[in-house]
């Protein structure tokens, strides 16, 4: 198939068809408005391909997710987060020398400028860590304003290295503890956990079970093609805004409860059910009731309509971590009961509403001792290399144009201004 036919107002138009490397078909409407005067309408962009991209492939029907062609299952089992970040950002798996160089840079650029520590003083101790993360990431530009075209962009390294420090400082700020500096002898995941959980008065060794769980969590969140936050990064980046500004916008998009904020919302929902007598069936009925806005957080996905491969990996991981840590938590019991319902209830089955990655990641973060308001920050740390890879791909695309959708206007037609004293 190389073209599609469109009949509009009795006229026939031929539209080119683009086929991707995995055989997905796109009708190219780039010239539609010029040819026909019409635009397409696709609220929520469920049928719109906004770009061509080499980074991530998803098949929602078959539950496939691959980064640069490599299945997520293989990456979660064999790779480290820095290795996956390199793969996403630079387009290939690093060799030993490249990985060692990359790791070293991610370590040696971890500290934030001492002056930036003062920014934290201005935030309220009740500030949501996502607000702090997005502000601090945008503020990095004030320290590193130079933009680099071509070659290795030091801003990419700085952002990857410093984001974990900012995230951990945001947490320390919220509990009133002193900031813990990063250490050069620790890996990426260990360093983050060390900055989160160490205190100056005691020795702290990162438990291996936590390091390993965090590594997998970060890998599973590292990219997901044109989701809400990545599309935001690309839209902002399309105006040629700098890396820090574009990623900061992505962080804000991720914050919402229908996107990355869902993992926090899952735990809040479980707490609500627990506090209301653990009657989970009542909440299942609420989720099914069309007159009730309650949604079962952590269920459903725009793309995965069969199963979410990340959720399958995390479900196993959550079981292992809970067993290894010997955790017996009533919230996790409620979560298991809800999962059971989703897999068997007709309402959920008919609508393909399965537990998504956020359902299990929330449970896992809780078991790891990460507080609920940090969950979305954890997601942001994982998604960072994906956002950077998309921003870089866009900036290196010679045909990239500013993103500027059209609309179908449904407001009032022309009418005259009425002076104040003559209005009803
Ligand atoms: N609980 C109850 N019913 C639901 C849920 C839910 N979580 N999700 C969807 N439905 C129902 C809808 O009411 C609708 O029913 P209808 O056909 O009878 O009207 C049907 O399922 C389809 O739902 P849509 O909202 O059209 O699905 P959409 O693809 O637009 O939304 C979304 C996907 C946003 C993820 C949705 O399922 C949802 O709100 N889930 C809860 C929030 C969540 O977990 N978000 C995390 C997503 S994953 C991520 O960001 C990493």
């Amino acid at each position: 198939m190389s073209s599609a036919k469109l009949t509009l107002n009795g006229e026939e138009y031929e539209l080119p068809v683009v086929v991707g490397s995995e055989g997905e078909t796109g009708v190219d409407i780039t010239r539609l408005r010029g040819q026909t005067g019409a635009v397409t309408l696709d609220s929520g962009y469920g049928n719109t391909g906004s770009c061509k991209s080499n980074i991530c492939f998803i098949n929602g029907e078959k539950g496939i997710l691959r980064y640069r062609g490599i299945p997520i299952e293989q990456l979660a089992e064999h790779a480290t987060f820095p290795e996956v970040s390199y793969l996403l950002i630079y387009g290939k798996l690093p060799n030993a020398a490249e990985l060692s160089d990359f790791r070293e840079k991610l370590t040696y650029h971890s500290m934030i400028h001492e002056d930036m520590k003062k920014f934290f003083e201005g935030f309220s101790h009740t500030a949501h860590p996502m607000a702090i993360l997005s502000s601090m990431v945008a503020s990095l530009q004030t320290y590193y304003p130079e933009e680099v075209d071509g070659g290795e962009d030091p801003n990419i390294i700085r952002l990857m290295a410093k984001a974990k420090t900012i995230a951990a400082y945001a947490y320390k700020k919220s509990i009133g503890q002193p900031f813990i500096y990063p250490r050069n002898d620790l890996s990426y995941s260990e360093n983050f956990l060390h900055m989160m959980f160490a205190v100056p008065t005691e020795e702290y060794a990162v438990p291996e079970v936590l390091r390993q769980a965090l590594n997998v969590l970060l890998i599973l969140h590292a990219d997901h093609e044109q989701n809400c936050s990545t599309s935001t990064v690309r839209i902002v980046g399309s105006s040629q805004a700098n890396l820090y500004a574009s990623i900061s916008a992505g962080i804000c998009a991720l914050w919402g409860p229908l996107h990355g904020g869902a993992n926090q919302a899952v735990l809040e929902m479980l707490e609500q059910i627990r506090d209301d007598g653990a009657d989970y069936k009542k909440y299942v009925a609420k989720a099914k009731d069309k007159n009730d806005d309650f949604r079962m957080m952590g269920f459903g996905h725009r793309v995965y309509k069969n199963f979410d491969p990340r959720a399958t990996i995390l479900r196993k991981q959550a079981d292992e971590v809970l067993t290894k840590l010997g955790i017996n938590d009533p919230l996790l019991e409620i979560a298991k009961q809800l999962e059971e319902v989703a897999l068997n209830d007709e309402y959920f089955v008919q609508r393909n509403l399965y537990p998504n990655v956020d359902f299990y990641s929330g449970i896992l973060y809780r078991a790891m001792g990460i507080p609920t308001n940090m969950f979305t920050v954890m997601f942001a740390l994982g998604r960072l290399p994906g956002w950077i890879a998309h921003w870089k791909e866009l900036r290196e695309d010679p045909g990239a144009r500013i993103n500027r959708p059209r609309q179908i206007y449904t407001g009032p037609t022309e009418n005259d201004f009425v002076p104040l004293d003559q209005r009803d």
Side-chain angles (χ1 to χ4, degrees):
M1 200 198 317
S2 58
S3 69
K5 285 203 168 56
L6 169 76
T7 307
L8 187 67
N9 297 329
E11 292 269 342
E12 196 165 272
Y13 302 92
E14 196 153 299
L15 301 168
V17 165
V18 183
V19 181
S21 54
E22 290 283 351
E24 340 82 297
T25 304
V27 178
D28 181 350
I29 54 142
T30 319
R31 302 194 188 287
L32 184 72
R33 192 165 176 278
Q35 279 177 306
T36 67
V39 296
T40 55
L41 178 63
D42 182 20
S43 305
Y45 308 127
N47 299 292
T48 295
S50 59
C51 60
K52 291 184 196 163
S53 178
N54 294 331
I55 301 168
C56 182
F57 173 67
I58 301 177
N59 181 323
E61 284 70 36
K62 294 189 182 149
I64 293 174
L65 169 60
R66 297 184 199 134
Y67 299 162
R68 305 276 187 189
I70 305 177
I72 191 67
E73 293 79 5
Q74 293 181 20
L75 292 168
E77 192 171 345
H78 302 297
T80 60
F81 180 62
E83 209 172 1
V84 169
S85 302
Y86 190 102
L87 171 72
L88 287 168
I89 297 172
Y90 301 112
K92 68 172 196 80
L93 282 172
N95 62 29
E98 287 162 340
L99 182 58
S100 150
D101 178 59
F102 187 57
R103 277 179 188 284
E104 193 176 303
K105 285 178 180 149
L106 293 191
T107 304
Y108 281 85
H109 291 273
S110 293
M111 281 193 290
I112 56 171
H113 195 289
E114 280 296 292
D115 289 351
M116 280 195 93
K117 272 174 58 190
K118 297 198 189 92
F119 290 15
F120 285 89
E121 288 166 22
F123 291 111
S124 154
H125 71 281
T126 57
H128 195 288
M130 283 296 272
I132 299 185
L133 184 67
S134 60
S135 322
M136 294 299 288
V137 165
S139 308
L140 281 173
Q141 194 276 345
T142 61
Y143 286 79
Y144 309 105
E146 76 281 10
E147 294 215 29
V148 179
D149 273 335
E152 190 182 272
D153 182 347
N155 289 320
I156 289 179
I157 299 285
R158 287 182 186 123
L159 182 52
M160 279 295 301
K162 294 178 197 309
K164 63 180 178 309
T165 312
I166 294 172
Y169 281 15
Y171 170 59
K172 288 294 198 193
K173 163 84 192 177
S174 75
I175 56 169
Q177 281 188 3
F179 299 145
I180 300 292
Y181 281 69
R183 270 180 28 194
N184 288 350
D185 60 324
L186 298 180
S187 72
Y188 185 98
S189 297
E190 285 171 326
N191 229 338
F192 173 71
L193 291 165
H194 160 78
M195 289 188 280
M196 283 282 289
F197 296 124
V199 285
T201 45
E202 275 173 30
E203 282 296 309
Y204 174 79
V206 176
E208 176 55 18
V209 58
L210 297 195
R211 184 208 62 77
Q212 201 215 334
L214 180 60
N215 184 57
V216 172
L217 277 158
L218 294 175
I219 290 174
L220 294 184
H221 286 90
D223 197 38
H224 216 232
E225 50 117 302
Q226 309 310 320
N227 57 85
C228 174
S229 55
T230 303
S231 301
T232 301
V233 169
R234 290 189 83 120
I235 286 185
V236 176
S238 80
S239 73
Q240 297 191 354
N242 65 74
L243 176 70
Y244 302 111
S246 307
I247 302 294
S248 171
I251 294 169
C252 292
L254 188 75
W255 193 354
L258 296 190
H259 189 17
N263 54 18
Q264 174 169 345
V266 167
L267 257 284
E268 285 165 355
M269 175 188 77
L270 295 175
E271 280 163 357
Q272 188 187 347
I273 299 176
R274 179 199 58 199
D275 297 345
D276 193 17
D279 182 1
Y280 68 94
K281 288 190 181 143
K282 172 175 154 191
Y283 285 85
V284 172
K286 273 164 77 64
K288 288 157 64 171
D289 180 356
K290 289 285 157 213
N291 298 318
D292 192 325
D293 334 324
F294 177 77
R295 277 205 162 193
M296 197 64 84
M297 299 314 289
F299 285 79
H301 198 277
R302 172 60 67 78
V303 177
Y304 294 117
K305 298 301 177 194
N306 189 346
F307 67 94
D308 178 340
R310 303 166 301 170
T312 311
I313 299 169
L314 275 195
R315 184 174 193 256
K316 196 164 149 261
Q317 185 81 20
D319 269 348
E320 274 173 28
V321 170
L322 294 178
T323 312
K324 278 189 191 154
L325 295 176
I327 289 178
N328 190 2
D329 182 341
L331 281 198
L332 303 178
E333 273 314 304
I334 297 173
K336 283 193 175 156
Q337 284 157 343
L338 288 178
E339 182 193 30
E340 185 71 18
V341 168
L343 300 176
N344 296 300
D345 187 292
E346 200 179 318
Y347 173 94
F348 290 87
V349 173
Q350 263 180 6
R351 290 169 179 74
N352 297 311
L353 300 173
Y354 301 96
N356 58 45
V357 67
D358 287 320
F359 188 70
Y360 297 108
S361 65
I363 292 170
L364 201 45
Y365 288 137
R366 180 176 165 90
M368 292 168 71
I370 292 174
T372 312
N373 69 351
M374 278 295 287
F375 289 3
T376 314
V377 169
M378 304 303 296
F379 189 159
L381 282 187
R383 186 54 53 89
L384 191 56
W387 288 331
I388 294 173
H390 284 272
W391 181 87
K392 185 167 177 285
E393 184 178 68
L394 172 95
R395 291 298 282 261
E396 289 171 358
D397 176 359
R401 302 167 70 202
I402 188 165
N403 286 194
R404 201 314 187 176
R406 293 276 177 168
Q407 63 168 13
I408 301 293
Y409 175 69
T410 56
T413 52
E414 183 173 358
N415 61 98
D416 290 325
F417 176 80
V418 180
L420 189 56
D421 59 359
Q422 292 167 32
R423 285 179 223 160
D424 300 334

